[in-house]
Amino acid sequence: MSRPRTIPEPCPAPLNGALAAVIDASGDVVVWTEGAAALLGRPASEVTGRPARALLGRRRHPPTGEPLGGAAGGRVLALRHHDGHDVDVWVRLLPLSGSGGVLALGLGMDTLEEWRDAVAPARTLFAQDAWQVAVHDPDLRVRRASPALTWTDPQPGAGADPMRAMTWPEGDGTAADLLREVVETGRVVVGASGVLHNRRPGNPDQVFSMTALPVHDLAGRIDGVLSSLVDVTDRYQSIRRLDLLYRASGGINDSLDVRRTAQHLVDILVPALGDLAAVEIAESALHGGEPSHRVEGLQGDFRRIATKHEYGPWPAGQIRAGELLPPIPDQPGFRHLERGEVLISNDRRQYMAFLGDAPEAGRMVPDDLHASIGAALVARGLVLGYVQVYRTRRQHSFDGQDAKLLKEIAARAALGIDNARRYTREHRTAVMLQNSLLPPASASTAATETAGVYLPAQGDASVGGDWFDVIPLSSLRTALVVGDVIGHGLRASATMARLRTAVQTLADLDLGPDEVLARLDDLVQRMAGEAEHPDTVGASCLYAVYDPVSRRCLVASAGHPAPVVVGPDGTTTLVQLVPGPTLGVGGMPFEVTEIELRPGSVLALHSDSLVELARGAAGAAGAAGGSGASPAEAPGHGDEAAEYALAARLGAACLPGRPLEEAGRDVIEAVRSARHRVDDDITLLLARTRAVPAESIATWEFPPNPAAVAGAREAVRAQLEAWGLEFQAFSTELVVSELVTNAIRYADGPVGLRLVRDRVLVCEVTDSSNSQPRLRHARTTDEGGRGLFLVAQVTSRWGSRYGESGKTIWTEQALDPE
């Protein structure tokens, strides 16, 4: 809209500057007006009583040679001015009844041309039929209109003025309300859009561009409004189709989930193209499989996964999202769909005939269907599904332009759905591989009761390389491991498998946590050197070893979040680690942190994605005014605050006596509730610690004297009898005799001996030597070398590990008398 225009002075009247004279029957001038005197410079005293012919000038004009000459009923005459020059005047003679005289009316040519230029455009506007022009009075009644105005009659007998039926989309009310505003304010409207809803069956709505400006009377007052309507329906439809295609191109393929892509498709098509829309996808494609190249009827292998209704819920009785389509026999029209052609049906019977008039097809076709249009979703030669758009309340049919538009949108949607299908297949394969590589969800050792929770990435993110592991070590100890490989997909899963295998191998060597991480760091550096993109290879890892005898836990981290300790009384502690760099950086040592754990404590090891979810859950709780602790209330900011928020969740879930599997699920669901999508793998490993009672531990120290071997056997026999393990006395005395003898023979200093009774009987011999014991096969002539061989035969496991000074040889024996 523009600002109202003001009229500085009244408009000139049509007869301003006109001359008039009365000429009697003899041709003399008897009446001479002031206008005539002003035009020719001759006062009445000079003209009246004299022949009118004396006023003619020297020039002569043909009767119809000038504009408005013959057509207006007058002619142009050259009249002589008082100064002697000729003045061209348009003159019309009107006979006076009864006297024989005439009334001569005239206008100067300058005035005549001014009015001609003013009147001609109006005459042209109201005579043309290219667009619709109307003049309305202050009450919006049509005073004059072009013939084209009758084109917009919205319904028979409704009158020629469309303004009262045309809606005004840029504001409330109709176009008539806008015209009334123009009359009241004098504002000018240019290029406003209006929609005329056509109620004639089969005829679409019309879109007009409207211009309105006030009409002024001769005094300069607003006396009505001039409206101009230009039909821009075709241009509007073209712009709408381009916009719809643009939104489809930019929005349909933004997801790698088949269902979300299908729902986005129907959201675009309704209400832009129809009242209802539905998408059906082949059952195999939903699970990442490859559908057929042909559709030979429907055999219960297509499922409707997305629907939308413009005017409310999906109609009752129609197939809903999630249901399988009923069996439909093969029809010739299916071949057209396979080739990517668009099917248009302009009534319900036609569409039912396309489906072969199958009784089950009634649930696929709305009862009040007026028109339908559909296309197969074909990508790379595979028929993935079908998209259908219906018009029920809209009483006009689909046309060829609609078919071209749907074909283009369906082609783009099919590519998006096929990409999502292929991603689903890869994701399922990666998840299957990942799950096959992970240990059992729960385990129980002498040191801990454990439960692991692994949740793969959801949405568009592929499965990552997160893992956890519980590894039994020597002397009842247990190693707890969590790690996270950089990247997603099969490559990350394969990298995870290599690292997990390496961790298990290094754990069997009984290395310390810092040494294990250092060896893993070397391995990751070698893997990066083999990779095409070395910067994409890396991982974080946390390695902890818990000893139920000493109740001490050694922890080292390579760029991984610190674990949380939940005490038996519910108190939570965030372990204060000095984390080293992520695996693959190299050149930096890893520091070991030692903590003491009370029996019944829960050690929680987790991935960084769980911290991210905890931050989102805490923020959502704070925004909702929840009573839970928010990051602002927890010490620190950012990651530290999120870690404390997670620790609070763990403390509330890991109650004494509660199964760890249930606690782990509750923790993850609690932090996921605020965020529906999980963009990375989530790993949580909970370990409830156990402790070996003091009465189940026996420790001795013997001097480096061969005579001490007999004392060691006697001490062991007495302890086993006290424990009621007499059936293990022979084998245990043999083990102790061989190991203590070797320690005295090859080491300096005292020899330590320890027995631990738990699920197995552990025997440990410690000396100051760093030599590695080796199992040999002695020849028949050898006098020695059979000691470790005998030890291996009477025990279930044996090995050695190194300490800060010296080594420990350990064995395990089953406590079953059989």
Side-chain angles (χ1 to χ4, degrees), residues 1 71 125 148 166 242 255 295 324 338 370 428 437 439 510 535 637 646 713 718-719 730 753 766 771 792-793 808 811:
M1 285 188 186
L125 282 176
M166 186 182 301
L242 286 175
S255 172
V295 180
L324 285 171
E338 293 171 1
H370 175 76
R428 287 168 61 88
L437 296 174
D510 262 326
D535 54 344
H637 302 281
L646 176 59
R713 289 197 301 265
Q719 186 61 58
F730 175 77
L753 174 62
T766 303
S771 61
Q793 299 305 308
T808 298
T811 65

Side-chain angles (χ1 to χ4, degrees), residues 120-272:
R123 296 179 62 190
T124 303
L125 282 176
F126 288 108
Q128 57 80 40
D129 57 5
W131 77 91
Q132 304 156 23
V133 180
V135 174
H136 307 258
D137 64 15
D139 295 329
L140 302 187
R141 291 188 296 267
V142 177
R143 290 202 296 239
R144 187 174 181 182
S146 62
L149 192 65
T150 58
W151 296 355
T152 62
D153 183 7
Q155 48 186 323
D161 185 9
M163 297 302 177
R164 302 184 187 276
M166 186 182 301
T167 59
W168 174 241
E170 299 178 14
D172 298 331
T174 65
D177 299 324
L178 183 64
L179 296 183
R180 189 172 293 107
E181 181 183 351
V182 173
V183 173
E184 294 173 354
T185 65
R187 295 182 181 273
V188 175
V189 177
V190 178
S193 298
V195 179
L196 187 65
H197 299 284
N198 202 318
R199 299 183 183 180
R200 289 192 180 97
N203 292 335
D205 298 340
Q206 291 177 278
V207 182
F208 291 91
S209 174
M210 184 176 71
T211 298
L213 59 158
V215 175
H216 299 84
D217 61 13
L218 296 179
R221 297 183 298 267
I222 296 178
D223 188 37
V225 59
L226 172 68
S227 66
S228 170
L229 296 178
V230 179
D231 191 340
V232 294
T233 303
D234 292 341
R235 183 174 62 188
Y236 171 80
Q237 294 291 349
S238 298
I239 295 175
R240 184 185 65 85
R241 291 188 179 100
L242 286 175
D243 177 69
L244 186 61
L245 188 59
Y246 172 78
R247 290 192 291 118
S249 301
I252 290 178
N253 298 332
D254 66 347
S255 172
L256 289 176
D257 182 85
V258 175
R259 286 179 170 82
R260 287 177 57 195
T261 302
Q263 188 61 49
H264 201 156
L265 174 58
V266 297
D267 290 341
I268 288 176
L269 296 176
V270 175

Side-chain angles (χ1 to χ4, degrees), residues 636-713:
H637 302 281
D639 289 343
E640 186 179 2
E643 289 173 351
Y644 277 102
L646 176 59
R649 299 275 185 181
L650 289 167
C654 299
L655 301 176
R658 188 182 188 189
L660 292 180
E661 296 90 343
E662 180 181 336
R665 288 193 300 266
D666 286 355
V667 169
I668 289 182
E669 290 303 321
V671 296
R672 282 186 62 194
S673 60
R675 295 177 62 179
H676 301 290
R677 285 185 59 182
V678 180
D679 297 329
D680 198 2
D681 293 359
I682 295 178
T683 306
L684 176 62
L685 177 61
L686 301 177
R688 182 172 281 135
T689 60
R690 294 170 173 153
V692 178
E695 58 270 20
S696 296
I697 304 172
T699 304
W700 302 272
E701 187 175 284
F702 299 99
N705 190 330
V709 176
R713 289 197 301 265

Side-chain angles (χ1 to χ4, degrees), residues 705-724:
N705 190 330
V709 176
R713 289 197 301 265
E714 290 294 331
V716 168
R717 183 185 307 111
Q719 186 61 58
L720 293 179
E721 291 176 355
W723 285 343

